[in-house]
Amino acid sequence: MLAAVLFGQSICVFFGALVARAIAATGPDSGLSTTYLLVGTGLAVLSLVAAGLMRRPFGVTLGWVVQVLTLTSALVVSAMLVVGLIFLAMWIAFFIMGSRIDQAQAERHGGADGPVDRVGE
C-alpha cells in the first residue's frame, strides 16, 4: 500500500515540477526554471525508487524522506502543501494499517512471520 502512495505521489510531484518551471519561466526567476524542473523530476524519481524499495528495511525510511521533501517543495509552489499533506495523511494511514495487517497475519499463522523466540532452545 505504501508503494502505491509513493507511485501516485511521484506523478503529482512531477506535475508540480512542471508548474514550478512554468511559473519561474514567466517571472523574474526565469534562470531557475530549469533547476526547479530538474529538482522536482529528481524528487519524482526518488519517489519511484522508494516505492520499489518498500520491501527493503530502508525503503520505509526513504519513503519518509520523500514525504518531507514533498512538503518542502511547497516553498516553491504553495499548492504542493496541499498535495504533500494529502499524501502524508495517506502515508501515515497506510503505514498504521499495514502494521496492523502484518500483526494480524502473524497472529493468524501462529507467529511464523514474527520474531523467533529461541529462549527454550
Side-chain angles (χ1 to χ4, degrees), residues 53-65:
L53 294 175
M54 276 298 109
R55 294 187 183 266
R56 306 269 183 179
F58 55 87
V60 174
T61 304
L62 189 57
W64 282 108
V65 169

Side-chain angles (χ1 to χ4, degrees), residues 35-106:
T35 303
Y36 289 157
L37 180 63
L38 291 175
V39 171
T41 302
L43 179 55
V45 169
L46 181 65
S47 182
L48 289 174
V49 168
L53 294 175
M54 276 298 109
R55 294 187 183 266
R56 306 269 183 179
F58 55 87
V60 174
T61 304
L62 189 57
W64 282 108
V65 169
V66 169
Q67 300 307 315
V68 170
L69 291 175
T70 301
L71 287 172
T72 305
S73 69
L75 296 173
V76 177
V77 177
S78 58
M80 288 302 291
L81 180 62
V82 175
V83 171
L85 290 174
I86 289 170
F87 280 104
L88 180 63
M90 289 190 322
W91 176 264
I92 292 171
F94 291 167
F95 186 79
I96 293 169
M97 281 191 277
S99 298
R100 289 180 183 167
I101 290 169
D102 290 344
Q103 184 179 19
Q105 285 180 344

